[in-house]
Structure formats: C-alpha cells, structure tokens
Amino acid sequence: MKNFLARQRQDGFFSIRFKSAAGKLTAAQLSAINELAEKFGDGFVTLTSRQEISIPFVRKESFAEMEKFCAENNLQISPVGTIFKMVTACQGMRTCPAGIIDSPKIAMELDSRHGGRELPCKITCSVTGCPNNCMKVDANDIGVKGAVEPQFVRENCIYCGACAKICPVGAIEINRAEKIWTIDRDKCINCGRCVKICKKAALRGEVGFKIYFAGKNFLPLIREEETLYKIIDAALKYFAENAKTRERLSKMFERLGTEEFKEKICAEIETCR
C-alpha cells in the first residue's frame, strides 16, 4: 500500500506533495492547492526538488478529506518512499530556443509507465532538452538529454566556416582552400547549433537521446523514442532484481559493476549490438 504522507520532524505533522505535469500546473489547480494549504496546513506551500508543490503541517486525520477534495479538483498526490519518483523536466522544444526534444512529453510518458513504482530504493529521473543540461540529468539516477548528431551533406557546402565558428567546443574544422570539412565526434556535445546556423542545408541533424545512469553515459545515441522507453524499462527491471534494500543505483554499480547491467539492456534493444 502506497504512502502519501511525508514525515516531518515536528511530531504529528506531515507534508502532502502534489504532482505537476513536468513542472506545469493550471491556475485552477494552484487555486485548489491554495485552498488546501489555508484549510489543512499553515497557509503556505513549499516547492520540492522534483517539481512538486508541498503543503507542510498537515495532520494525518485530515488526509481522507484532502484526498476527496483532490479527486474533485484534478490534483494528484505524490506517493513517497522507495519508489520511482516524479520525473522532472524542462520545457524543451515547447518554448526554449535551445530545446531539441519535447521534454515534458517524455517525462510524462515515463511517469505514466513507472511513477510510484515500488523499488528497493528510490529512483530519481530527469529529462533535459539539450546539452545545456538545465535539469542536471547527470545528478539523477536516470537522466535523458536531447541530442543532435550533425551529418555532413558535401554537395551543399560552400565552406563558409559558420558552423565552425558557432561550435562551442571547437569540434568542427574547415579547410576552405581544399574544401575539407571535419568533425571530432568525441569532442562534439550534440547541441545542434551548427545545423541551425547552416543556411545551405550542408548539415542535417539527426535528433536522438543520450541516456545517463548514475551520472554515466555508456550507451550510444538512442535514435527512437520507443527504444528509449525499452532501455529504461530494462534498467528498472535489473535494478528491482539486483539492488539491495535502500541501495541507490550508484551504490549497486559500485558493488556489481556495470558490465552485466549493460548486457541486460543491450539484450532488449538493437542499438548496442
């Protein structure tokens, strides 16, 4: 049975946390939370690191009435404990000029698949729209980052050098005299700026996803969204079967290494074969 009451250090009081749709709540939902905070809390709310709104100083005996009110006002209460936590996300390509992927869509799909799933220890997950990494995916147990892999279309290139100038890491080199274009794939951070700046369609961007486990990126660029979900499904299955009670993902890797983990994931997908 899931627990929805987060303990406080003050005896007899709990916090109630409300899910957002990847950081988005409607004005009506905010108004309803305000009403709850006034009636059942101390008249204020706090924001959690997982893009939830929390009402502290709630009495346990108030929960049933709050739960009924939430059902009537389209509010989802977040469970607490050793679970797959609410997935955080930036707004990605919905509003951000740098956005490469639809971060909220992916976050909500992952939350729909795994949100509240009971596990040996909590799993945090974050989706960030581009290499700017605003959501700090490498600081989560599982992180997804939007990425662009530039592909060179030689017949369109005029070797103007605009792509080399805009590259933030100096991964691209142009030899205008000899008409040579090169990219250092190890240096490239897959930001896609070179693709955007090219006016001659000499660069084609293949959009994909980088995935991080406990801060490590050890899989190649993922091309398909459905493959991304399969990888995370397989990762959570492995974690559920192999982690000790209250052992974080990084600690499991320290104990078991990552080779078997990678093998299990690769058995589910074609990407790393």
Side-chain angles (χ1 to χ4, degrees):
M1 185 170 162
K2 285 191 171 58
N3 177 28
F4 294 93
L5 298 165
R7 286 187 307 156
Q8 283 186 208
R9 65 186 303 155
Q10 292 85 0
D11 219 18
F13 289 103
F14 298 86
S15 295
I16 306 292
R17 300 169 184 176
F18 300 94
K19 282 189 173 186
S20 67
K24 180 180 176 182
L25 287 163
T26 66
Q29 287 173 315
L30 289 171
S31 179
I33 290 171
N34 172 66
E35 190 174 333
L36 284 170
E38 292 285 356
K39 187 173 181 181
F40 298 107
D42 264 14
F44 68 93
V45 300
T46 59
L47 303 179
T48 76
S49 60
R50 305 232 57 81
Q51 294 182 324
E52 302 158 313
I53 290 183
S54 173
I55 298 177
F57 293 98
V58 172
R59 295 279 187 183
K60 189 175 184 177
E61 52 269 25
S62 302
F63 182 71
E65 192 177 345
M66 291 181 75
E67 196 173 27
K68 182 173 180 293
F69 180 90
C70 290
E72 293 167 352
N73 288 273
N74 192 30
L75 289 174
Q76 278 189 287
I77 303 174
S78 290
V80 296
T82 57
I83 60 169
F84 187 86
K85 298 289 188 180
M86 195 184 90
V87 185
T88 59
C90 66
Q91 287 304 299
M93 64 188 292
R94 292 191 178 186
T95 57
C96 180
I100 295 167
I101 58 172
D102 189 343
S103 309
K105 174 179 178 286
I106 293 163
M108 287 186 280
E109 176 62 27
L110 288 171
D111 192 71
S112 171
R113 286 174 178 244
H114 301 293
R117 175 177 173 178
E118 293 181 9
L119 294 161
C121 191
K122 70 178 180 181
I123 286 284
T124 61
C125 181
S126 186
V127 184
T128 200
C130 73
N132 288 338
N133 197 21
C134 295
M135 299 310 297
K136 298 178 175 59
V137 296
D138 43 357
N140 283 259
D141 296 298
I142 300 174
V144 177
K145 184 188 289 183
V148 172
E149 186 171 83
Q151 300 296 334
F152 185 51
V153 184
R154 186 175 301 279
E155 58 269 25
N156 293 344
C157 187
I158 60 171
Y159 302 93
C160 65
C163 56
K165 285 177 186 174
I166 204 167
C167 179
V169 292
I172 296 173
E173 290 187 9
I174 302 282
N175 185 323
R176 194 167 189 178
E178 297 184 25
K179 292 188 167 32
I180 296 172
W181 182 95
T182 56
I183 184 168
D184 185 335
R185 296 288 180 189
D186 292 330
K187 240 189 215 185
C188 176
I189 59 170
N190 304 105
C191 65
R193 293 182 191 179
C194 56
V195 177
K196 287 181 182 178
I197 200 70
C198 182
K199 304 300 182 188
K200 299 296 181 181
L203 289 171
R204 185 182 73 249
E206 293 189 11
V207 174
F209 312 93
K210 285 186 174 181
I211 186 162
Y212 295 77
F213 294 106
K216 304 271 192 306
N217 170 233
F218 43 65
L219 292 179
L221 195 70
I222 308 303
R223 307 288 182 184
E224 303 294 331
E225 195 172 313
E226 195 52 45
T227 302
L228 174 72
Y229 299 138
K230 284 181 181 177
I231 290 170
I232 293 175
D233 290 349
L236 290 174
K237 182 175 184 289
Y238 184 90
F239 181 71
E241 292 173 352
N242 292 278
K244 293 180 179 179
T245 301
R246 297 195 176 275
E247 180 180 49
R248 293 298 292 267
L249 184 65
S250 59
K251 294 297 181 185
M252 184 192 75
F253 286 159
E254 285 178 17
R255 179 170 58 86
L256 299 177
T258 59
E259 287 310 307
E260 187 186 48
F261 177 78
K262 285 189 280 187
E263 284 174 17
K264 294 286 186 183
I265 288 174
C266 290
E268 301 288 327
I269 60 172
E270 296 294 328
T271 305
C272 39
R273 289 178 188 170

